[in-house]
Amino acid sequence: MTGDPGAVTPQSPRPVAASAAIEIEDLWHTYMRGTPFEHPALRGVTLHVHDGEVVGIIGQTGSGKSTLIQYFNGLMRPIRGRVIVAGHDLGSPRADVAAVRRAVGLAFQEPETQVFERLVGDDVAYGPRRLRLPFHEIRERVRWAMEIMGLPFETFKDRYTFTLSGGELRKAALAGVLALRPRVLVLDEPTSGLDPRSRDDLRARIEELRDREGMTVVLVSHDMEEVVRLSDRVYVLHDGAVAASGSPREVFGDAARLAAAGLAPPEAAQVVQRLRDRGYPVREALTLEEAETALAALLERTR
Amino acid sequence: MSEFELLRNITIGQYLPTGSYLHRLDPRPKIIAALLLTAAVSFAPTILGNACLLAACALVVRLGRIPFGYALRGLVPAVPFLVILAVLQLVFYGRNYDPASPVIFQWGWIVVTAAVGRLVVVSAARFVELLMVTSVFTLSTRTTELTLGVESLLRPLRPLRVPAHELALVATIALRFVPTLALEAERLLRAQASRGGSLGGRRWNFVAAARRLLPILVPLFTFALTRAEELIVAMEARAYTGGGGRTTYSVLQGTLRDWLAPAVALIFLIVLLRAPFAF
């Protein structure tokens, strides 16, 4: 289950494939270092994100997810461990942090709280303007980012930000990160706190980013359903260390290990698993749709 | 190595439970003792006096079982300003400040008199002392204790229509919000940095520098207002009506042992101000 394709064992250090957008080896982090409040957040995390894949990161509150992703775009620099993002070694003091931030777009939890411009279009354009791009290029990027987030450019660009609904504002904030056209998009709890319809809509947008744009995405989430639906590979963090990794099927198939990390498989998968435990001949399922077909087949057979 | 950990350098408004004598002290005598120490810091004009004060402050930090490095951490961001201040005082005061004082150094138009030299040393020492006193005070006092203490001390002024409870509450909330706002500012700095924003760049261009701050300031204000509104609702929901007829969960009971601290501080203050220090 820990068969990470790019993993490097300490005995035989070999260079990782050049296609890895983010490589993290044995990363440690301590908060409030040098004060009486210091506490460890990461204890030797090793993780890889390859171009074109969607990597899910799950774990309990306080397992180190939000700390970890701050290393992805150089907001934090490693003191112990190795972090290489888009070919830049962030452990080196001469690392080009600006280039790393252009390569990795990071959207924090509740990104709508960072919106500051009066007009939606201006806020989305903040990043590209800071890159000093030519006017038409900025406009094109803003248009592209807003459209892909489901905010039609012409109708929304001149709307006041405070008139948007919570879901729309979140999409506008995410568009602001997308407008930087990053190589990797990192989303921290993108759908938390949204109403069900906005949540489904935003998930569909992320799916579209993956399928149509081939965007590399790192998805941090508490919602197992969402992680199963969107991710190619999943890392489970527990107490600042990687407790498990692999395909969603591998990770969520091992319920005991998940439980040890304080997590549980998606509800649909749990229902099917309990039926199997009681001896019903039902196929394994992870998502709601799979569970539906599996149960339909079961009903067909027992009829 | 993290440019975004603001809270590491903010020691005011934090509470560090070590269970020391200072932590167990009744807040009222503690507030008085802190005020007396602050008065001593403000009025001691001599180098020797300030040396005594530094020693006394170190003793207080020790008494509170607070690590020295942490009590002095607030000094880190202030060091550049202190240095600039000291240089300005040294260079520009010249003979204007206490002309009778003997000149100890002269180079061109730069004149340093003994009085100015003393002033520089004393003002730097004062800063360190004040920082130690306030750090130890806040690190050893819970905000609820502080509110109760201030309120209780202001109670005799109530006939003069001084709203003791409300004043204490305002001060408490202000203190309590310092780390909260710092954390939020930190979060916004990170978020905007992730979108290509930065606070660095040409610092001499004030207009550009102010504009660069907007993406942090605007959401920070919104956050502060939202939090204030939430606080109001939370207080209303718990039927808060102000100080009138309010009882408290913990009742302050100062013993003679508690009043030892301000007594010692008072004696120290008198001795310090009366002592004939040579310089």
Side-chain angles (χ1 to χ4, degrees):
Chain A
M1 189 137 109
T2 41
D4 187 343
V8 173
T9 52
Q11 286 80 22
S12 61
R14 63 182 165 82
V16 183
S19 69
I22 299 173
E23 301 167 36
I24 289 182
E25 309 277 345
D26 192 32
L27 180 64
W28 295 68
H29 181 83
T30 306
Y31 270 110
M32 302 284 274
R33 219 160 35 81
T35 77
F37 300 103
E38 74 172 27
H39 54 276
L42 297 178
R43 314 166 195 249
V45 170
T46 295
L47 169 150
H48 299 264
V49 178
H50 301 279
D51 277 321
E53 68 176 349
V54 177
V55 172
I57 300 180
I58 56 178
Q60 275 177 306
T61 309
S63 59
K65 297 171 303 214
S66 298
T67 310
L68 179 61
I69 58 168
Q70 289 183 42
Y71 278 95
F72 290 179
N73 76 340
L75 285 176
M76 289 184 178
R77 308 280 292 269
I79 293 173
R80 184 170 164 198
R82 204 160 69 107
V83 177
I84 298 177
V85 178
H88 299 272
D89 184 353
L90 282 168
S92 143
R94 290 185 311 278
D96 187 354
V97 180
V100 168
R101 298 224 173 113
R102 278 196 299 276
V104 178
L106 179 55
F108 281 94
Q109 285 175 39
E110 297 179 17
E112 61 274 20
T113 54
Q114 80 206 22
V115 167
F116 66 98
E117 290 278 10
R118 279 197 311 161
L119 301 180
V120 177
D122 282 339
D123 201 81
V124 177
Y126 172 69
R129 277 188 188 143
R130 301 291 316 195
L131 295 180
R132 300 182 189 289
L133 297 172
F135 176 76
H136 62 272
E137 169 82 21
I138 293 177
R139 201 177 163 85
E140 267 328 294
R141 282 186 175 206
V142 172
R143 181 194 297 275
W144 172 78
M146 285 177 65
E147 298 279 353
I148 204 146
M149 273 294 133
L151 301 171
F153 180 69
E154 293 302 335
T155 29
F156 275 92
K157 72 175 168 49
D158 293 326
R159 290 269 301 270
Y160 285 112
T161 45
F162 63 83
T163 63
L164 298 191
S165 73
E168 287 168 340
L169 199 56
R170 174 148 326 166
K171 289 195 281 186
L174 292 179
V177 176
L178 263 185
L180 294 162
R181 281 200 183 262
R183 181 170 158 193
V184 182
L185 180 65
V186 183
L187 302 170
D188 191 355
E189 301 276 354
T191 61
S192 73
L194 292 182
D195 60 89
R197 182 187 296 205
S198 307
R199 191 183 309 161
D200 284 343
D201 179 44
L202 187 52
R203 272 183 205 161
R205 300 287 160 203
I206 299 170
E207 251 174 352
E208 201 174 306
L209 262 177
R210 177 188 67 185
D211 299 337
R212 224 179 63 193
E213 306 285 332
M215 175 85 73
T216 311
V217 179
V218 177
L219 175 71
V220 175
S221 183
H222 271 129
D223 192 318
M224 300 302 137
E225 186 75 48
E226 180 172 296
V227 171
V228 167
R229 181 169 152 190
L230 297 172
S231 322
D232 300 313
R233 230 146 44 74
V234 178
Y235 284 89
V236 180
L237 280 192
H238 182 55
D239 246 350
V242 176
S245 68
S247 72
R249 219 157 283 281
E250 288 173 315
V251 169
F252 289 106
D254 193 344
R257 199 190 277 241
L258 267 185
L263 301 171
E267 277 170 25
Q270 288 183 45
V271 169
V272 173
Q273 190 53 48
R274 284 201 194 165
L275 283 171
R276 283 169 63 88
D277 291 347
R278 295 202 179 170
Y280 287 97
V282 54
R283 239 180 325 117
E284 277 190 33
L286 266 187
T287 63
L288 200 57
E289 288 78 17
E290 285 174 10
E292 194 184 341
T293 39
L295 288 179
L298 177 69
L299 287 174
E300 200 67 38
R301 204 172 313 166
T302 51
R303 186 167 292 163
Chain B
M1 195 152 73
S2 174
E3 50 194 306
F4 299 103
E5 261 190 275
L6 301 181
L7 210 52
R8 263 180 74 189
N9 291 330
I10 294 182
T11 46
I12 291 175
Q14 297 267 38
Y15 178 75
L16 181 64
T18 62
S20 72
Y21 168 71
L22 288 185
H23 286 73
R24 284 177 279 125
L25 206 56
D26 185 293
R28 289 167 297 182
K30 187 154 50 170
I31 291 171
I32 294 175
L35 286 177
L36 287 171
L37 262 184
T38 312
V41 170
S42 317
F43 295 127
T46 58
I47 291 181
L48 274 183
N50 274 281
C52 293
L53 264 169
L54 274 176
C57 289
L59 202 70
V60 171
V61 172
R62 199 64 209 271
L63 202 59
R65 289 200 220 134
I66 286 157
F68 267 100
Y70 191 62
L72 287 175
R73 196 172 266 278
L75 210 57
V76 175
V79 162
F81 298 98
L82 286 180
V83 170
I84 291 172
L85 189 72
V87 169
L88 288 180
Q89 282 175 328
L90 273 179
V91 172
F92 291 112
Y93 263 131
R95 288 204 183 79
N96 301 328
Y97 180 79
D98 194 3
S101 175
V103 173
I104 52 173
F105 175 81
Q106 185 157 16
W107 184 72
W109 53 271
I110 296 175
V111 179
V112 177
T113 63
V116 171
R118 195 176 67 199
L119 185 74
V120 168
V121 175
V122 168
S123 40
R126 271 181 184 161
F127 190 87
V128 176
E129 288 151 16
L130 272 182
L131 193 82
M132 285 210 256
V133 173
T134 46
S135 296
V136 170
F137 182 75
T138 54
L139 284 171
S140 69
T141 315
R142 289 179 204 278
T143 39
T144 45
E145 289 175 342
L146 182 64
T147 328
L148 279 179
V150 171
E151 195 183 335
S152 167
L153 285 175
L154 289 178
R155 202 165 294 151
L157 298 179
R158 211 183 275 164
L160 303 173
R161 291 180 170 260
V162 174
H165 173 79
E166 283 74 12
L167 281 179
L169 188 75
V170 166
T172 313
I173 292 174
L175 267 184
R176 176 59 190 80
F177 263 56
V178 169
T180 310
L181 286 177
L183 270 181
E184 181 64 13
E186 209 174 289
R187 205 178 73 85
L188 286 166
L189 275 172
R190 288 180 188 162
Q192 307 298 22
S194 301
R195 294 169 71 190
S198 74
L199 296 181
R202 300 158 308 186
R203 285 189 183 245
W204 44 265
N205 188 340
F206 291 113
V207 178
R211 279 186 70 97
R212 268 199 300 275
L213 268 180
L214 277 184
I216 310 294
L217 284 184
V218 172
L220 191 61
F221 265 93
T222 322
F223 170 81
L225 292 175
T226 315
R227 283 302 292 260
E229 231 168 62
E230 284 168 6
L231 190 62
I232 293 167
V233 172
M235 287 164 80
E236 289 281 344
R238 288 162 202 190
Y240 179 81
T241 52
R246 216 175 139 76
T247 55
T248 54
Y249 175 64
S250 56
V251 179
L252 295 181
Q253 279 171 324
T255 60
L256 216 57
R257 212 173 116 85
D258 288 313
W259 289 94
L260 201 66
V264 170
L266 184 64
I267 294 168
F268 179 69
L269 172 67
I270 293 170
V271 170
L272 192 73
L273 294 186
R274 283 297 181 85
F277 290 119
F279 56 91

